[in-house]
Amino acid sequence: MVRTNVEIEALLQEYADLIAITGGDAFKARAYEKAAHAIGGYPADVSHLDAAGLREIPGVGRSIAEKVIEYFRTGNVTVVEETRAQIPEGVRQLITIPTLGPKKAMALYEDLHISSVGALADAIKAEKLRDLKGFGEKTEENILHGIALMQQAGERILLSTAMEPAEDIVTELSRITGCENCAYAGSLRRMKETIGDIDILVAAERSASFMDALAELSSTAEVIAHGRKKTSIRTTKGLQVDLRVVRPDSWGAGLQYFTGSKAHNIRTRTIAVHLGLKLSEYGLFETDGGKRVASQSEGEVYDRLGLPWIPPTLREDRGEIEAGLRGELPDVVTAQDIRGDLHTHTDLTDGLAPLEEMVAAAAERGYAYYAITDHAPNLYMQRMTDEKILAQRAHVRSLDGRRRRMRLLHGTELNIGPDGEVDWPGEFLQGFDICVASVHSHFHLSREAMTRRIVRACENPHINVIGHPTTRLIGKRQGIDADLDEVFAACARTGTALEINAQPDRLDLGDEDILRARSHGAKFAIDTDAHSIPQLAYLRYGIGMAQRGWLTPEEVINTWPLRRLRRFLRKDRAD
């Protein structure tokens, strides 16, 4: 996603929150929120647009376009600055707590003079919130849970937030004369769902020019340390970047070492010791005499240890060493294996782009098939009707006739109700090529009721995929309380795939749940849940999760040829 667009999205979303905090017009706040999402999902850099061009973006009117132009011109928006000044800093801190909305944050400040997260936690422990209008014991529990989520997230950032600056830095450093190799390493290379800091590795004979270049990047706000072997900076977005330079003949050993994980590296060093060797970031050496026996490539290092090259996404000491020694390491799914995306949205519901544009963008990605799955009517805010979805189906069929190289599937994302019911009856659902079913509400049912709810959805002969199965939002909302092993077993038994939702704030299922579900024999779909054209590129994050869950192409239904996929989607129903 274009960085400028992300900045404008954040600015407009903040203004929407500020309007809500100050008791402004709810419709105005919603308008700015919609415009924020529209600009964030716009495929081109909005900084190249004038006011007229901005107004062509759905949801961006004259007033909003003028504010965006003002931001490009001055770096600020006057009305946003003025509104910020009306709200105490403490209130702005409170609304960063997941589960606490702007109106409640303002009420806490006005009625109890609470202006910090610590003071709020103390007030809850003293049961001071219960007498406030709109608060109660359950509200206190939810807020405490939100505080815990925020503290748990700490300084870690989403995988996607780290990826763009990391790739930009690699591109910049790779241009410098003398660079023989450059890559990001660490938890980012292992595709963990959140990242502490960004590790960059360069192979070059001399380090000074690379260390200086990092310190002088326009995105560098602070130089934390500047040395010959390592330089650390903090970016203008608050991300720490650590750069290390190794000699070209140590590249493989250095990349293996700085990729980690720590637990994986302990295991590889232990193997080295048993072989009479010593492994470090400089190479693999004989203990007696110090002769270097491997270092130039990761494959060379692993081979000398008696192991195949292990994909970075597997390097977590979760059995990959043992599997490698037995010759049983999986050939994990890659981007080249994916034949299509099975969960996407258009502007018929909450997507940002029309059907034709989403289809064209998917075709450019080289897919063999592509599914449109707009929301069903029980998600009331989307205002779906039978007539609208049938009209879309006719449109999809007409486009499918023109695109023989990429077949189109018409589907829907259903809502799993509290009892496992979905939006449409079976005879209506039979007309769809694919049905994704997801939990969008009633997150706090009992464990037994939640489990029964999802299992019942799996048993529906028309439901093919359980979307974002745990409903988690990383750092904002924990997953639902359900017996996931029972759910995974039901998916395997009924031929219902589990989604690996590639939205960066979901990545749902996560890697540990994928490993559990895999043990039950379940199948999976790696989907983007794209609501705009740029979000189709989120597929890479879903693939990262799938790899961390040890999935092979055979276990992922959207790697299969269309004919085989269609057989799976029928769930053994009569033709």
Side-chain angles (χ1 to χ4, degrees), residues 135-190:
F135 290 80
E137 186 174 353
K138 188 64 177 177
T139 308
E140 290 178 339
E141 291 176 8
N142 290 339
I143 294 173
L144 283 176
H145 178 60
I147 293 173
L149 281 175
M150 185 172 67
Q151 292 171 339
Q152 183 180 356
E155 296 299 317
R156 297 187 71 81
I157 58 172
L158 294 178
L159 171 63
S160 59
T161 304
M163 186 64 76
E164 185 177 350
E167 290 181 332
D168 287 347
I169 292 170
V170 167
T171 299
E172 290 295 325
L173 297 183
S174 296
R175 295 189 178 116
I176 297 175
T177 301
C179 178
E180 297 198 17
N181 272 305
C182 183
Y184 53 80
S187 53
L188 183 61
R189 188 171 180 233
R190 301 198 315 276

Side-chain angles (χ1 to χ4, degrees), residues 319-381:
E320 72 277 8
I321 298 292
E322 292 80 3
L325 291 171
R326 294 193 306 266
E328 297 175 358
L329 206 63
D331 292 323
V332 290
V333 63
T334 68
Q336 289 69 39
D337 296 314
I338 301 296
R339 295 174 185 257
D341 196 335
L342 300 180
H343 181 181
T344 67
H345 296 272
T346 75
D347 63 356
L348 183 62
T349 54
D350 58 347
L352 300 176
L355 173 64
E356 295 93 333
E357 293 181 13
M358 292 296 289
V359 168
E364 288 179 5
R365 299 182 69 83
Y367 288 148
Y369 46 80
Y370 176 73
I372 298 93
T373 55
D374 275 312
H375 288 288
N378 286 357
L379 203 61
Y380 300 111
M381 67 190 76

Side-chain angles (χ1 to χ4, degrees), residues 549-565:
W550 290 49
L551 293 187
T552 65
E554 176 62 25
E555 297 165 295
V556 179
I557 65 172
N558 50 320
T559 69
W560 299 350
L562 181 58
R563 182 174 296 179
R564 182 183 178 190
L565 174 65

Side-chain angles (χ1 to χ4, degrees), residues 265-557:
N265 284 356
I266 290 172
R267 295 296 304 281
T268 54
R269 289 199 299 271
T270 301
I271 292 173
V273 169
H274 290 160
L275 294 173
L277 303 169
K278 181 181 178 181
L279 178 61
S280 72
E281 64 266 43
Y282 303 110
L284 190 60
F285 301 88
E286 292 180 349
T287 303
D288 296 333
K291 178 184 177 182
R292 182 159 56 184
V293 296
S295 64
Q296 291 189 339
S297 72
E298 284 191 320
E300 181 182 79
V301 171
Y302 279 111
D303 182 65
R304 187 63 180 79
L305 294 173
L307 291 163
W309 179 80
I310 298 176
T313 44
L314 299 186
R315 300 180 196 176
E316 299 290 350
D317 191 24
R318 294 195 289 208
E320 72 277 8
I321 298 292
E322 292 80 3
L325 291 171
R326 294 193 306 266
E328 297 175 358
L329 206 63
D331 292 323
V332 290
V333 63
T334 68
Q336 289 69 39
D337 296 314
I338 301 296
R339 295 174 185 257
D341 196 335
L342 300 180
H343 181 181
T344 67
H345 296 272
T346 75
D347 63 356
L348 183 62
T349 54
D350 58 347
L352 300 176
L355 173 64
E356 295 93 333
E357 293 181 13
M358 292 296 289
V359 168
E364 288 179 5
R365 299 182 69 83
Y367 288 148
Y369 46 80
Y370 176 73
I372 298 93
T373 55
D374 275 312
H375 288 288
N378 286 357
L379 203 61
Y380 300 111
M381 67 190 76
Q382 305 307 336
R383 299 180 181 177
M384 179 57 76
T385 64
D386 294 7
E387 292 74 21
K388 284 182 180 180
I389 202 73
L390 291 174
Q392 184 187 65
R393 181 177 301 163
H395 194 181
V396 168
R397 298 292 184 243
S398 69
L399 291 176
D400 186 40
R402 292 183 234 155
R403 291 184 176 274
R404 290 297 177 187
R405 292 184 181 179
M406 184 180 79
R407 301 309 305 269
L408 299 180
L409 304 177
H410 186 241
T412 184
E413 184 182 9
L414 300 161
N415 306 282
I416 304 175
D419 295 319
E421 73 279 7
V422 294
D423 310 64
W424 280 302
E427 57 268 24
F428 195 84
L429 295 179
Q430 197 157 357
F432 290 100
D433 298 314
I434 181 170
C435 292
V436 179
S438 310
V439 171
H440 291 112
S441 63
H442 299 86
F443 299 120
H444 302 296
L445 296 180
S446 70
R447 181 179 179 85
E448 181 181 358
M450 188 67 77
T451 304
R452 185 171 58 249
R453 169 191 197 179
I454 302 176
V455 169
R456 183 181 174 194
C458 295
E459 292 171 343
N460 186 317
H462 301 284
I463 291 176
N464 307 117
V465 180
I466 301 297
H468 42 78
T470 75
T471 79
R472 74 169 183 176
L473 293 174
I474 298 171
K476 296 180 180 179
R477 184 174 72 209
Q478 286 188 331
I480 53 176
D481 183 15
D483 184 339
L484 292 180
D485 286 301
E486 186 174 340
V487 170
F488 298 156
C491 285
R493 171 172 52 83
T494 61
T496 308
L498 287 154
E499 182 174 71
I500 301 171
N501 188 296
Q503 289 284 319
D505 62 345
R506 287 191 184 274
L507 298 179
D508 183 12
L509 291 171
D511 54 356
E512 293 183 1
D513 287 332
I514 294 169
L515 286 164
R516 288 169 61 191
R518 184 173 186 259
S519 71
H520 287 277
K523 300 299 184 186
F524 303 83
I526 306 172
D527 300 325
T528 62
D529 192 4
H531 286 64
S532 64
I533 289 170
Q535 290 184 6
L536 292 171
Y538 286 164
L539 186 74
R540 67 191 297 193
Y541 304 120
I543 291 169
M545 285 299 105
Q547 290 181 349
R548 289 178 60 80
W550 290 49
L551 293 187
T552 65
E554 176 62 25
E555 297 165 295
V556 179
I557 65 172

